[in-house]
Amino acid sequence: MNSSVPTAASSRVAVAAYYFPGFHVDPRNERDMGEGFTEWKLVKESRPRFEGHRQPKVPLWGYRDEAAPAVMEQNIEAASSHGIDCFLFDWYWYEDAPFLQRPLDEGFLGASNVDRMKFALMWANHDWTNIFPLGLREASPLLHPGAVSKPVFAHLAEHVIERYFSQPNYLKIDGRPYFSIFQLQKFLDGFGGLKAAREAVEEFRVRVNNAGFPGVHLN
């Protein structure tokens, strides 16, 4: 499958949809929020707040486990049949471990029709706070800080190159794998400043080159 986006000369623009993987059981969420927690709990417990407010909403496809390949196959079929070319996964990796990766690793990459859809990563390196739910005037307690150290970023980089960039349907621009960083300031904070962060990015580029790619497309 050609995983590069259409060129400037092409008549069609590629469309990517952000995908937030909050509707499956993750060990970190279970530690923080209780056994079996998924964000379906918030959907089920929504209540009307004013006249005519229709809550809770009941999904037509049911309360599905998005880490199951059969569920992701349905997502891929629906999206690709309606003009979506790529899932841009919210992808989490904190100082101590990755987070919310089962829908991509088990569901999407395990789907029988995965070749119909490109994918790429947006490293969601923001602080993870307890907003499940959160009142209007309540502070959101910090659960996991988003900044990571240089050794952790190096491990993260090796993982994405080996596990994801090598996939035939990973999104590439001019042959370069696309990788997005959500919060630049958190990235700088983890390294203690601009100089060390720049060095880490340059080392990332070298690793990508050594893996046989012409570079990495950073967003």
Side-chain angles (χ1 to χ4, degrees), residues 15-73:
V15 178
Y18 285 102
Y19 188 103
F20 172 70
F23 301 91
H24 69 288
V25 175
D26 181 275
R28 186 187 297 260
N29 263 339
E30 288 198 300
R31 291 196 302 269
D32 293 337
M33 309 304 301
E35 184 178 356
F37 175 85
T38 77
E39 294 202 30
W40 285 128
K41 181 177 186 291
L42 308 180
V43 176
K44 293 176 181 178
E45 294 181 356
S46 295
R47 296 295 178 264
R49 295 176 179 268
F50 50 84
E51 185 177 355
H53 188 207
R54 295 182 297 163
Q55 291 290 349
K57 302 287 190 180
V58 179
L60 291 177
W61 289 351
Y63 302 99
R64 308 180 309 151
D65 176 4
E66 62 189 347
V71 168
M72 197 59 76
E73 287 164 9

Side-chain angles (χ1 to χ4, degrees), residues 6-18:
T7 65
S10 173
S11 61
R12 186 178 179 279
V13 173
V15 178
Y18 285 102

Side-chain angles (χ1 to χ4, degrees), residues 1-8 10 12 14-15 84-86 114-119 165-177 213:
M1 177 180 181
N2 181 1
S3 58
S4 294
V5 298
T7 65
S10 173
R12 186 178 179 279
V15 178
I84 304 298
D85 301 290
C86 175
V114 66
D115 60 341
R116 291 196 62 183
M117 179 71 65
K118 302 181 188 70
F119 79 103
F165 290 1
S166 61
Q167 298 290 337
N169 60 329
Y170 193 88
L171 179 67
K172 300 175 184 70
I173 297 176
D174 297 327
R176 297 174 295 156
F213 299 101

Side-chain angles (χ1 to χ4, degrees), residues 6-189:
T7 65
S10 173
S11 61
R12 186 178 179 279
V13 173
V15 178
Y18 285 102
Y19 188 103
F20 172 70
F23 301 91
H24 69 288
V25 175
D26 181 275
R28 186 187 297 260
N29 263 339
E30 288 198 300
R31 291 196 302 269
D32 293 337
M33 309 304 301
E35 184 178 356
F37 175 85
T38 77
E39 294 202 30
W40 285 128
K41 181 177 186 291
L42 308 180
V43 176
K44 293 176 181 178
E45 294 181 356
S46 295
R47 296 295 178 264
R49 295 176 179 268
F50 50 84
E51 185 177 355
H53 188 207
R54 295 182 297 163
Q55 291 290 349
K57 302 287 190 180
V58 179
L60 291 177
W61 289 351
Y63 302 99
R64 308 180 309 151
D65 176 4
E66 62 189 347
V71 168
M72 197 59 76
E73 287 164 9
Q74 191 176 17
N75 291 343
I76 292 170
E77 173 63 28
S80 61
S81 297
H82 291 82
I84 304 298
D85 301 290
C86 175
F87 283 154
L88 189 55
F89 282 91
D90 282 7
W91 187 81
Y92 293 83
W93 193 300
Y94 290 112
E95 183 73 12
D96 57 346
F99 179 42
L100 298 180
Q101 298 199 359
R102 291 183 58 224
L104 173 56
D105 290 349
E106 300 174 26
F108 183 82
L109 293 178
S112 62
N113 58 349
V114 66
D115 60 341
R116 291 196 62 183
M117 179 71 65
K118 302 181 188 70
F119 79 103
L121 304 182
M122 181 189 72
W123 177 28
N125 65 327
H126 55 78
D127 291 346
W128 188 261
T129 59
N130 189 351
I131 55 173
F132 307 105
L134 183 71
L136 179 61
R137 294 174 179 82
E138 295 175 1
S140 53
L142 176 65
L143 296 175
H144 308 285
V148 305
S149 62
K150 187 174 181 179
V152 169
F153 180 72
H155 180 44
L156 176 161
E158 290 288 355
H159 181 79
V160 300
I161 294 167
E162 180 179 347
R163 174 64 173 153
Y164 304 119
F165 290 1
S166 61
Q167 298 290 337
N169 60 329
Y170 193 88
L171 179 67
K172 300 175 184 70
I173 297 176
D174 297 327
R176 297 174 295 156
Y178 175 101
F179 187 77
S180 177
I181 300 175
F182 181 71
Q183 244 182 32
L184 179 59
Q185 189 59 55
K186 286 293 177 185
F187 185 72
L188 298 176
D189 291 346

